Amino acid sequence: MGIGPEIEPRERRRATTRRGLPLPPGPGFSLDRLAGFRRETMPWTMRAVARRWPGVAYLGVPGRHLYLVSDPDLVRQVLVTDGRKVDKGEALRTANIVLGEGLITARRARHLPRRRLVNPAFAHARMAGYAAGMLDAARATDARWRDGAHVDLSREMSRLTLDIIGRTVLGAELDWQHVGRELTIAMRGWEALMVPGGAWYLKLPLDAPRRFWAAADNLHAVVGRVLAGDTADSVVTEMRKARDDGAALDDAAMHDETMNLMLAGHETTALALTWAFWLLAQHPAEAAALRESLPDGDPGYGDLRKLHYAYAVVAETLRLFPPAWILERELEQDLSLGGWPVPIGSTVLASQFVLHRDPRFWPSPDSFVPARWLDPDGRFSEDNPGVPRGAWYPFGAGTRICIGESFAWTEAVLALAVLARRWSFRVDPGHRMALHAAITLRPAGGLPGTVERVVP
Ligand code: HEM
């Protein structure tokens, strides 16, 4: 799957910025490289660049200073210690045309007060209630599957996590087919926005841009209907109650935050589960170990802390196929990164895919080894691999760290525990797995295969 050897050092025409600041080495820009840009190979290209130019690499892109950092300390510097000197990059900021101004897209200055208002909805004390919805949704999937049925597993997991978002975040039932379809179209439009000229393309009177705007409108209409109706206990009801220094979320803020959560909370976890089933399908011994580790009978929220192997499978999946595979920050001040002066306005990339597979920290970095997350007593901890903190950050770090982190762990571990207990997944023979790396890391063309009942 790797394409590392294709990356050759090349002479850069310009070794300094316009202000005369020296530029770190890197692959430079060429038209043939641009022509070779493929979403399938992008993560591997990033990894090859990081190996060839470790620390800080300069990715020459016309009109843009773009850097890739690949040392854990530099990742932490950009996301955490200098987190107040950077803002979200263009890709996430521009998403506000679909998502509105919510936690994902908010500029730094507006982010913190918002985050304080949304945080209580994700407090630990709320998790048991949400877990009940997660378990019900997973059981509904379990009840729906038929032995030998041919499915697209990524679609199944998308349906499952949308069901969970409906039950726990919105407190309302969602028409998963309608919302799933519109979310997919909206995500494609967002991807188009990330490509130079994307915003311009989306204004053209063509079918695809029209569908994109219609999907965005339809999603806003879904959120509007949910918020106008009665919502059961959920993230939405908690957000409605939230007060901070007398401030509350007004109607527009409620709408945009709900939209942000619907999008951020659905696809990422669906992908984590999809990749987990794909990896388990390739590794029957680990799939059997998972099954044997699960309690007899239906797992419940009270079992969560005992599901060590399921946690290890989820962690190892997030390591190898981080659904958020790269983070982008734009500098609001000059910074020094690894001794290189990086000017204000530059974009810095920090890729989880690259750091999570760095052989300096992870033995057998490309292998699926859930056991690396377990101590000798078989207990899971994120500390067990003993890697520096910036080498493991599937949920980001610093002030913009994922608000749904423990929600997602609970959801993924419980769903896996319910489904892997009775089902295994067999990928279609001949199916070629390829990556589609955009905002998230997806299996290109979904994941076709058969669900097979392992326990009668
Ligand atoms: C495996 C599942 C998930 C992964 C891998 C993931 C990953 C991430 C990452 C890496 C970020 C930081 C982005 C950045 O710094 O640019 C983020 C932010 C965010 N995530 Fe998640 N996420 C997951 C699940 C969820 C869930 C379930 C929800 C909500 C129900 C959620 C809501 C959010 C929100 C609102 C933000 C923005 C937070 C802020 O800036 O304050 N995520 N997520």
Side-chain angles (χ1 to χ4, degrees):
M1 273 218 248
I3 63 150
E6 285 173 26
I7 305 290
E8 294 297 335
R10 67 173 24 244
E11 284 299 310
R12 272 179 295 102
R13 285 209 201 97
R14 202 164 45 116
T16 62
T17 66
R18 244 185 253 139
R19 280 163 52 190
L21 301 175
L23 290 173
F29 175 78
S30 68
L31 282 177
D32 52 331
R33 189 157 296 141
L34 183 68
F37 170 88
R38 295 203 339 265
R39 295 209 175 274
E40 180 178 347
T41 47
M42 201 57 197
W44 304 105
T45 305
M46 288 291 176
R47 182 162 88 161
V49 168
R51 292 244 173 112
R52 175 69 186 78
W53 295 281
V56 187
Y58 185 74
L59 310 172
V61 175
R64 215 171 161 204
H65 289 306
L66 191 62
Y67 298 77
L68 175 72
V69 291
S70 55
D71 272 348
D73 288 352
L74 297 175
V75 170
R76 295 286 296 176
Q77 183 187 345
V78 172
L79 298 180
V80 186
T81 40
D82 282 342
R84 293 184 194 288
K85 300 177 185 167
V86 302
D87 203 348
K88 288 269 173 122
E90 204 180 335
L92 283 182
R93 272 200 336 259
T94 49
N96 65 2
I97 64 168
V98 189
L99 297 174
E101 181 91 353
L103 283 180
I104 296 175
T105 52
R107 300 305 300 249
R108 197 169 59 79
R110 299 182 60 171
H111 172 258
L112 199 57
R114 266 302 172 82
R115 177 83 186 216
R116 281 209 290 263
L117 284 167
V118 184
N119 267 340
F122 286 91
H124 182 68
R126 306 254 70 82
M127 234 29 92
Y130 301 150
M134 295 167 185
L135 284 163
D136 285 347
R139 289 184 198 120
T141 306
D142 176 61
R144 197 181 65 243
W145 279 355
R146 293 284 168 263
D147 194 15
H150 191 261
V151 299
D152 172 355
L153 197 86
S154 65
R155 199 171 139 84
E156 288 295 307
M157 293 302 103
S158 187
R159 177 172 177 179
L160 168 61
T161 59
L162 260 184
D163 188 3
I164 291 173
I165 289 288
R167 292 172 196 255
T168 60
V169 173
L170 306 176
E173 208 175 309
L174 282 182
D175 174 349
W176 67 273
Q177 262 167 325
H178 172 65
V179 176
R181 192 180 53 239
E182 302 303 81
L183 278 172
T184 306
I185 296 169
M187 288 294 286
R188 294 224 179 94
W190 186 0
E191 282 170 23
L193 272 173
M194 294 167 67
V195 177
W200 177 79
Y201 162 75
L202 286 179
K203 287 184 190 140
L204 293 176
L206 300 172
D207 268 358
R210 271 201 207 107
R211 279 295 299 125
F212 164 71
W213 293 113
D217 286 349
N218 290 339
L219 291 171
H220 282 293
V222 168
V223 168
R225 276 197 299 276
V226 166
L227 293 178
D230 290 334
T231 47
D233 268 359
S234 59
V235 170
V236 161
T237 50
E238 292 302 316
M239 288 198 298
R240 277 207 179 102
K241 286 189 237 159
R243 295 280 177 282
D244 185 54
D245 286 341
L249 292 166
D250 63 22
D251 287 353
M254 277 297 297
H255 183 102
D256 288 358
E257 292 305 346
T258 308
M259 188 79 174
N260 271 239
L261 291 171
M262 193 165 81
L263 194 111
H266 144 250
E267 162 144 337
T268 42
T269 322
L271 287 173
L273 286 165
T274 303
W275 287 120
F277 274 105
W278 184 70
L279 285 163
L280 291 168
Q282 320 298 310
H283 298 89
E286 282 72 13
L290 171 63
R291 211 167 298 125
E292 277 156 30
S293 75
L294 297 172
D296 292 338
D298 220 4
Y301 182 64
D303 296 312
L304 194 61
R305 296 288 149 217
K306 292 182 246 157
L307 299 175
H308 294 284
Y309 202 84
Y311 267 99
V313 167
V314 172
E316 188 65 347
T317 303
L318 293 174
R319 185 183 73 78
L320 285 170
F321 296 101
W325 71 279
I326 195 161
L327 299 181
E328 188 193 28
R329 290 294 185 269
E330 207 168 275
L331 268 54
E332 293 188 321
Q333 298 177 25
D334 290 348
L335 284 189
S336 169
L337 286 175
W340 294 97
V342 179
I344 183 170
S346 302
T347 301
V348 178
L349 302 174
S351 166
Q352 288 97 325
F353 187 90
V354 170
L355 269 296
H356 288 185
R357 291 172 180 252
D358 190 323
R360 290 176 296 171
F361 314 114
W362 304 94
S364 310
D366 294 330
S367 304
F368 178 65
V369 187
R372 72 172 89 230
W373 299 92
L374 302 173
D375 70 11
D377 296 326
R379 302 182 71 81
F380 169 81
S381 162
E382 284 182 84
D383 295 332
N384 281 336
V387 301
R389 290 172 80 194
W392 164 246
Y393 58 109
F395 294 95
T399 50
R400 308 305 293 253
I401 195 168
C402 178
I403 201 169
E405 179 174 1
S406 42
F407 183 105
W409 276 109
T410 308
E411 179 182 11
V413 168
L414 289 179
L416 196 61
V418 169
L419 295 175
R421 196 166 72 88
R422 302 208 310 160
W423 301 95
S424 71
F425 179 68
R426 191 158 48 81
V427 183
D428 275 357
H431 174 72
R432 177 181 160 270
M433 170 54 77
L435 298 178
H436 180 93
I439 298 153
T440 52
L441 190 60
R442 308 201 293 261
L447 185 53
T450 309
V451 284
E452 290 169 348
R453 192 188 286 273
V454 284
V455 176

